Amino acid sequence: MSKITIKDVAREAGVSIATVSNALNGSDVVQPKTRDHVLEVARKLNYIPNVNGRQLRTAQTHNIGLFVPSMTGSYYGNMADSIHYLCKKYGYELHIFIVDEDKPLLASLQGQSIDGAIILFGMLSEQEKQQLMQSRLPTVFMDQEIAGNSISSVIYESSQHGRMAAEYLLGLGHRDLMHVFGVPHNYDSIQRLAGFEAALREAGAPLREENVISGRFEQAAAYRSMHRYLQEGHRLPDAVFAANDLSALGCIKALQEHGIRVPEDISIIGCDDHLLSRYVTPGLTTIRTHMEELGVEAGKEVFRLIGGGQGKITRLPGDIIVRQTCCFRPMAAKGEDKP
């Protein structure tokens, strides 16, 4: 696959190379209509400027771009705060871009005056990965396993987190388990389920098909899914592993409204150690994933790449935080049927 160059953009747009360069760099010498036309052509061609080449001609911008699908909830806010703090320490500004899932990621990078990018956005094709590597823009992914040229990944050990949850619940005597899934195409969602399922298969306690329900990392979505599950009359599982704490809290609310006690009737474990999990009653047992550390490590990595470092993959472990939403099931441990 040949790399798209600035000449290709200029030819397709019917303008000069200088006009394309000015449009991509946000220069006000280009008429708005012309600039919009050039950027649209660049997006269609999936063109990414060569950052290293551009920096040979111009000074660094001292800007870092954080590309995320949303800023809803505290997760993104906490992560952005930790990256912003590090940027200030290095004398950089952090710019946050909300990426539309229907829009190619590379289109969101077009014309942005940044020295490096930190990306939490799973919708990336193999072609886009190759084009991003060719661009040599220092980039750190937080939900993709990519390393090479100027690209690194800083990710959770999400598969291991799923395995930890399964082994903890199995150790308490639970055999019939449920998983509240996160978001389709999301790295952490997929990996947490994969690790959870693998541990259950190895223990001879595979998931029932109906025991994987949608949570979308949201309290309301998990509440609706659990409410529907209970209304449909499915057999109540021994325990639930939710892909994040907000989903766990939504499940607890639905269970309580149906007169089901946590943990007396069912155990629940979440993931992330959200601030709310420490103050709800009962306190939520969870896997602490150190979300602030994820942001800090991603920030450190993008500055290492800007300094000429080679791409690599960094994985962050987690820890089980035991609170009050899980308990031992001697009947389940003996393989007896629940009443």
Side-chain angles (χ1 to χ4, degrees):
M1 179 182 64
S2 60
K3 180 181 178 181
I4 300 298
T5 69
I6 194 170
K7 292 182 180 179
D8 298 320
V9 178
R11 182 171 56 251
E12 183 70 18
V15 299
S16 69
I17 293 176
T19 298
V20 174
S21 179
N22 286 327
L24 293 175
N25 287 302
S27 173
D28 57 9
V29 302
V30 181
Q31 292 293 324
K33 185 176 180 180
T34 302
R35 183 183 63 245
D36 292 344
H37 172 62
V38 170
L39 292 178
E40 180 60 26
V41 170
R43 279 192 287 268
K44 288 181 178 179
L45 295 178
N46 285 331
Y47 169 73
I48 299 180
N50 186 308
V51 175
N52 287 350
R54 182 170 62 193
Q55 289 179 353
L56 290 174
R57 300 186 299 273
T58 63
Q60 289 183 315
T61 67
H62 288 275
N63 294 327
I64 299 296
L66 172 62
F67 296 81
V68 293
S70 170
M71 284 300 293
T72 302
S74 62
Y75 177 84
Y76 294 108
N78 291 340
M79 181 186 61
D81 282 345
S82 62
I83 296 173
H84 179 246
Y85 175 82
L86 193 66
C87 285
K88 288 178 63 178
K89 181 178 178 181
Y90 281 85
Y92 277 69
E93 292 290 334
L94 178 67
H95 296 264
I96 300 174
F97 303 91
I98 308 298
V99 182
D100 188 341
E101 290 188 5
D102 297 327
K103 180 180 179 181
L105 174 62
L106 296 188
S108 298
L109 288 167
Q110 300 299 331
Q112 305 297 350
S113 297
I114 55 176
D115 296 333
I118 300 173
I119 299 174
L120 180 58
F121 183 73
M123 306 293 288
L124 192 69
S125 68
E126 288 300 320
Q127 181 182 6
E128 287 180 308
K129 291 177 185 178
Q130 291 301 317
Q131 291 174 324
L132 194 53
M133 285 188 178
Q134 290 172 3
S135 78
R136 300 196 66 81
L137 173 69
T139 302
V140 177
F141 283 94
M142 293 189 286
D143 58 358
Q144 298 271 332
E145 293 190 46
I146 310 175
N149 294 331
S150 298
I151 295 182
S152 289
S153 294
V154 177
I155 53 178
Y156 295 132
E157 285 188 339
S158 289
S159 177
Q160 185 61 26
H161 298 164
R163 177 173 288 276
M164 289 167 63
E167 291 175 350
Y168 178 73
L169 294 173
L170 290 167
L172 291 176
H174 304 306
R175 302 291 294 177
D176 184 18
L177 304 184
M178 168 183 277
H179 179 61
V180 184
F181 188 73
V183 178
H185 310 297
N186 175 272
Y187 173 85
D188 292 314
S189 297
I190 295 168
Q191 292 298 312
R192 285 172 188 175
L193 174 58
F196 190 63
E197 283 189 307
L200 294 183
R201 283 196 303 270
E202 293 167 12
L207 277 171
R208 288 187 277 135
E209 182 178 349
E210 65 269 25
N211 276 13
V212 179
I213 64 174
S214 174
R216 300 196 61 80
F217 291 142
E218 298 172 1
Q219 190 168 349
Y223 167 83
R224 291 192 296 268
S225 292
M226 180 60 79
H227 184 70
R228 187 182 311 114
Y229 177 92
L230 296 171
Q231 281 188 322
E232 291 173 354
H234 296 291
R235 186 174 82 238
L236 188 69
D238 297 326
V240 176
F241 167 48
N244 75 334
D245 289 346
L246 292 179
S247 297
L249 296 177
C251 289
I252 291 174
K253 179 175 173 60
L255 289 163
Q256 291 175 338
E257 289 183 1
H258 282 262
I260 299 168
R261 301 168 301 167
V262 178
E264 293 85 355
D265 300 322
I266 186 171
S267 291
I268 294 187
I269 183 172
C271 196
D272 285 338
D273 195 25
H274 189 285
L275 183 63
L276 285 175
S277 66
R278 309 170 199 181
Y279 298 108
V280 295
T281 302
L284 180 65
T285 294
T286 187
I287 297 172
R288 180 177 293 162
T289 55
H290 308 281
M291 65 180 71
E292 291 85 1
E293 183 180 351
L294 180 72
V296 169
E297 291 302 317
K300 289 180 179 178
E301 185 60 19
V302 79
F303 288 121
R304 191 184 70 83
L305 293 175
I306 289 172
Q310 181 66 21
K312 65 177 183 177
I313 295 176
T314 301
R315 294 180 173 86
L316 302 181
D319 309 292
I320 290 184
I321 306 300
V322 178
R323 296 194 178 100
Q324 293 86 43
T325 54
C326 296
C327 69
F328 185 62
R329 286 283 192 286
M331 289 180 63
K334 295 176 183 177
E336 298 177 20
D337 293 332
K338 293 186 295 181

